[in-house]
Amino acid sequence: TQLLEQSPQFLSIQEGENLTVYCNSSSVFSSLQWYRQEPGEGPVLLVTVVTGGEVKKLKRLTFQFGDARKDSSLHITAAQPGDTGLYLCAGLTDSWGKLQFGAGTQVVVTP
Amino acid sequence: DTAVSQTPKYLVTQMGNDKSIKCEQNLGHDTMYWYKQDSKKFLKIMFSYNNKELIINETVPNRFSPKSPDKAHLNLHINSLELGDSAVYFCASSQLTQRNYGYTFGSGTRLTVV
């Protein structure tokens, strides 16, 4: 049983459209992190959210941490082909830095 | 360049062989990790070392043995390789007291056991 459930598993959209990826859990996290992974590479950190209700923006990407610190969402506005990748959410559960990852959402943005 | 570097990038080997993967970070981080990514892209933690001391040891076959000679290096040795060990193995590092700043990952080692 995975600690973090991501949805959808796969998302294919046209350039210029908006999309939202969800990350849900029944566990409380001290922080939640979002990564993007491209083929043949390791995940790259996009953002960390720490406070319940927190909203962070990174250009066209908006990240939200749920009030209860159990869930998060990633919204991309006006998606571009460069946004294509595997988006992973990861929750920090303990003081030893152990990150638990969701199964990922593959996003494909076509021109 | 500051980074986490792993070698080799690709490893193809026969069942029953023993192999090692090496990882080095020059970020000055005090904690390093090994993760396994399966064919469905799910990342699962295997081990973690903080200042050369093992702090996370998940349920992993004892054929897998990590070793950290110093806080900048973390190696993974695998004995008697099995078909099911085929996966991409990622090394990562972080500063434990600043763990909310996230991990830095290496580019992975794709292990194929034939």
Side-chain angles (χ1 to χ4, degrees):
Chain A
T1 305
Q2 291 180 23
L3 202 58
L4 282 161
E5 298 288 338
Q6 272 189 251
S7 62
Q9 290 184 334
F10 183 80
L11 203 50
S12 181
I13 60 171
Q14 298 276 1
E15 184 175 1
E17 292 181 340
N18 301 333
L19 69 98
T20 303
V21 177
Y22 299 94
C23 180
N24 295 300
S25 177
S26 56
S27 300
V28 176
F29 298 103
S30 58
S31 73
L32 205 136
Q33 302 172 12
W34 285 91
Y35 292 79
R36 181 168 69 207
Q37 185 179 14
E38 300 190 19
E41 298 296 328
V44 175
L45 180 71
L46 296 173
V47 80
T48 300
V49 284
V50 178
T51 307
E54 183 176 3
V55 176
K56 278 193 174 177
K57 292 196 174 187
L58 189 67
K59 297 184 181 177
R60 294 174 294 99
L61 278 61
T62 301
F63 303 85
Q64 187 157 7
F65 200 13
D67 291 340
R69 291 188 290 132
K70 293 182 180 181
D71 54 81
S72 181
S73 64
L74 156 61
H75 183 79
I76 302 179
T77 305
Q80 298 178 0
D83 295 325
T84 293
L86 179 69
Y87 288 82
L88 297 156
C89 67
L92 199 59
T93 55
D94 64 23
S95 58
W96 293 115
K98 184 162 103 174
L99 269 185
Q100 304 271 18
F101 279 83
T105 296
Q106 181 64 51
V107 171
V108 176
V109 183
T110 52
Chain B
D1 282 348
T2 53
V4 177
S5 54
Q6 321 180 202
T7 54
K9 176 80 173 172
Y10 300 96
L11 191 50
V12 181
T13 188
Q14 290 187 322
M15 278 176 55
N17 283 351
D18 303 339
K19 290 292 177 186
S20 291
I21 306 172
K22 295 188 174 185
C23 180
E24 176 181 4
Q25 56 96 3
N26 62 3
L27 297 162
H29 289 164
D30 60 5
T31 306
M32 297 182 73
Y33 311 83
W34 279 112
Y35 274 78
K36 179 181 181 180
Q37 188 171 46
D38 61 25
S39 58
K40 294 186 178 178
K41 304 293 187 185
F42 182 62
L43 271 163
K44 187 162 186 210
I45 191 165
M46 300 172 70
F47 303 103
S48 175
Y49 274 75
N50 173 255
N51 286 319
K52 302 194 296 175
E53 190 175 330
L54 183 66
I55 58 170
I56 297 174
N57 186 0
E58 293 292 284
T59 308
V60 174
N62 57 17
R63 298 181 294 103
F64 289 78
S65 53
K67 196 164 282 187
S68 181
D70 56 61
K71 72 174 192 176
H73 295 84
L74 179 61
N75 304 322
L76 183 65
H77 188 75
I78 316 170
N79 289 327
S80 303
L81 278 154
E82 300 177 358
L83 292 176
D85 297 332
S86 295
V88 182
Y89 292 85
F90 285 99
C91 177
S93 72
S94 73
Q95 187 65 18
L96 195 60
T97 53
Q98 298 178 339
R99 55 193 176 274
N100 288 333
Y101 286 91
Y103 288 10
T104 301
F105 280 86
S107 57
T109 295
R110 181 175 291 277
L111 172 65
T112 303
V113 183
V114 297

